[in-house]
Amino acid sequence: MKAVGLKEYLPIGDRNSFIDIAIEKPAKLGERDILVEVKAISVNPVDTKVRSPKQKIEEDYRILGWDASGIVTKLGSNCTLFEVGDEVYYAGAFDRSGTNANYHVVDERIVGFKPRNLDFENAAALPLTVLTAWEALYDRLNIRAKKDDGKTILIINGAGGVGSIAIQLAKWIGLRVIATASRDESAEWVTSLGADYVINHHASLSRELSEIDVNGVDFILCLHDTEMHWDEMCEVIKPEGRISSIVGTNRPVDLGLLMDKSVSFHWEFMFTRARYETVDMIRQHEILNRVGEMFEQNQLKPTLTEKFSPINAENLRKAHAAIESGKTIGKIVLSDF
């Protein structure tokens, strides 16, 4: 089968950062695995972080990629959720071979049925961002309908892939949404998705909030730079508020700043359930199916903004370069081998 792999971790401008390869089609499946013929993939910041330059050379080609949509072609011996021919979408597992390949093996418990009203390209743009946003809002921040109606959430970096879904899910459950954006086009994008206010995350968050007469927020979802925004997040969060972030830190942050307000902090890492095979691992199957229904009912808008075809080394280099520029809006998708 066709695939795109790497052996060296190189700058994306190097032609060897990704290489077109031909490898054997996967033959062995675990009991709960399914084999998917990949029709489309999308690229996320995690792809670029894993591929970023480092002093390491792989013995065999490593295949990256997590988001995918496609068709089920084979089932493991104990599969119960899907049948051959089903159209699916998913975000894969961090510690397994990736989706930048013609066929891919994935545990069925983290796979959902593709929304019927979306093509493979639009579906591939969603899984990682949908799961991250849903888990951050509802599992980590514990936001609930009715209980939290009218409360305010600050979403830092609203125009990215996760932010584009998080804005919509936060509005859907009844929150007042303040999203950050640093350019006119990204501000227009988050507004189109339902953000009530837009502020600039390159300026002082406290000053930006005061200019729109907001005196503190109930929730914060940080999708940009946890270290850079930490002190200001601690300042603008309300007493007994909650903060979640998906961006790791390179140095300790001062949790003591949260103590006086009894504020809680929560990491969100979408790959946790698959990586540790948690008892609620099937929750990701359920989330993807629920969100699929929301798309079918036109309660959510697709987030695909740019696409390339076919799926090959050249186009993956273009997609990674765009992500690394820090100027992307929504999601980049590649389709067809």
Side-chain angles (χ1 to χ4, degrees):
M1 67 174 182
K2 293 181 179 180
V4 181
L6 62 81
K7 282 197 173 182
E8 299 177 86
Y9 295 84
L10 302 168
I12 199 57
D14 192 308
R15 289 192 59 81
N16 289 321
S17 57
F18 281 117
I19 301 171
D20 292 311
I21 58 176
I23 58 176
E24 292 296 321
K25 181 179 174 181
K28 184 178 180 180
L29 302 183
E31 289 186 355
R32 299 300 300 271
D33 285 342
I34 59 176
L35 180 65
V36 176
E37 181 184 4
V38 174
K39 295 295 186 180
I41 61 173
S42 69
V43 179
N44 297 281
V46 65
D47 297 60
T48 66
K49 290 176 183 177
V50 172
R51 194 225 77 249
S52 63
K54 57 182 69 70
Q55 294 298 318
K56 181 180 180 180
I57 299 178
E58 302 286 349
E59 289 187 14
D60 297 318
Y61 283 105
R62 182 177 182 183
I63 299 173
L64 303 183
W66 287 277
D67 273 336
S69 63
I71 301 172
V72 177
T73 63
K74 187 178 179 180
L75 304 174
S77 61
N78 198 28
C79 286
T80 60
L81 303 177
F82 299 100
E83 297 179 355
V84 171
D86 284 340
E87 297 182 350
V88 296
Y89 74 139
Y90 59 92
F94 196 72
D95 52 358
R96 300 186 72 172
S97 185
T99 57
N100 297 343
N102 206 171
Y103 289 86
H104 183 248
V105 177
V106 61
D107 191 302
E108 67 169 355
R109 291 170 290 181
I110 59 172
V111 178
F113 289 102
K114 180 180 76 66
R116 289 170 293 183
N117 62 330
L118 298 183
D119 58 23
F120 287 111
E121 293 169 321
N122 276 285
L126 299 172
L128 187 147
T129 58
V130 159
L131 290 167
T132 301
W134 188 287
E135 290 180 355
L137 294 175
Y138 307 146
D139 295 349
R140 313 302 173 221
L141 295 176
N142 197 33
I143 295 168
R144 294 292 181 267
K146 295 183 180 179
K147 175 178 75 72
D148 294 315
D149 278 357
K151 290 184 178 179
T152 301
I153 185 169
L154 171 63
I155 298 176
I156 301 174
N157 189 21
V162 177
S164 296
I165 292 293
I167 289 169
Q168 298 184 70
L169 290 178
K171 287 297 294 181
W172 171 71
I173 209 164
L175 298 184
R176 182 172 64 156
V177 176
I178 302 169
T180 77
S182 59
R183 294 174 291 129
D184 290 343
E185 53 267 41
S186 52
E188 291 174 7
W189 173 255
V190 299
T191 300
S192 74
L193 295 174
D196 297 288
Y197 302 97
V198 183
I199 65 175
N200 190 337
H201 53 251
H202 290 311
S204 163
L205 295 178
S206 55
R207 185 173 65 247
E208 291 277 295
L209 289 172
S210 68
E211 289 180 359
I212 58 173
D213 296 322
V214 173
N215 183 26
V217 295
D218 301 285
F219 308 103
I220 297 175
L221 176 55
C222 182
L223 311 172
H224 184 245
D225 186 324
T226 305
E227 291 180 29
M228 183 172 80
H229 299 297
W230 182 257
D231 288 356
E232 287 230 271
M233 289 195 294
C234 295
E235 179 181 348
V236 302
I237 192 72
K238 289 182 178 180
E240 298 184 329
R242 294 189 284 276
I243 302 171
S244 181
S245 179
I246 70 169
V247 183
T249 60
N250 294 313
R251 60 174 178 81
V253 293
D254 186 2
L255 285 173
L257 295 176
L258 303 176
M259 183 177 178
D260 185 57
K261 294 182 181 178
S262 296
V263 167
S264 58
F265 176 74
H266 309 262
W267 287 117
E268 161 56 21
F269 187 56
M270 187 229 72
F271 295 111
T272 296
R273 281 172 161 142
R275 188 170 194 171
Y276 294 98
E277 294 194 14
T278 60
V279 293
D280 65 347
M281 181 174 170
I282 200 170
R283 180 74 178 131
Q284 293 197 335
H285 167 74
E286 297 166 350
I287 293 169
L288 290 171
N289 285 347
R290 178 67 186 96
V291 171
E293 293 172 356
M294 294 172 72
F295 274 99
E296 291 171 359
Q297 295 164 8
N298 295 314
Q299 294 175 322
L300 298 173
K301 298 178 182 179
T303 58
L304 187 161
T305 54
E306 189 172 7
K307 55 187 177 181
F308 301 107
S309 184
I311 302 171
N312 61 18
E314 180 183 359
N315 283 331
L316 267 172
R317 286 193 292 269
K318 291 179 182 177
H320 276 239
I323 295 289
E324 289 182 351
S325 75
K327 296 180 179 180
T328 55
I329 295 173
K331 289 298 294 292
I332 299 174
V333 169
L334 289 77
S335 62
D336 303 320
F337 279 93

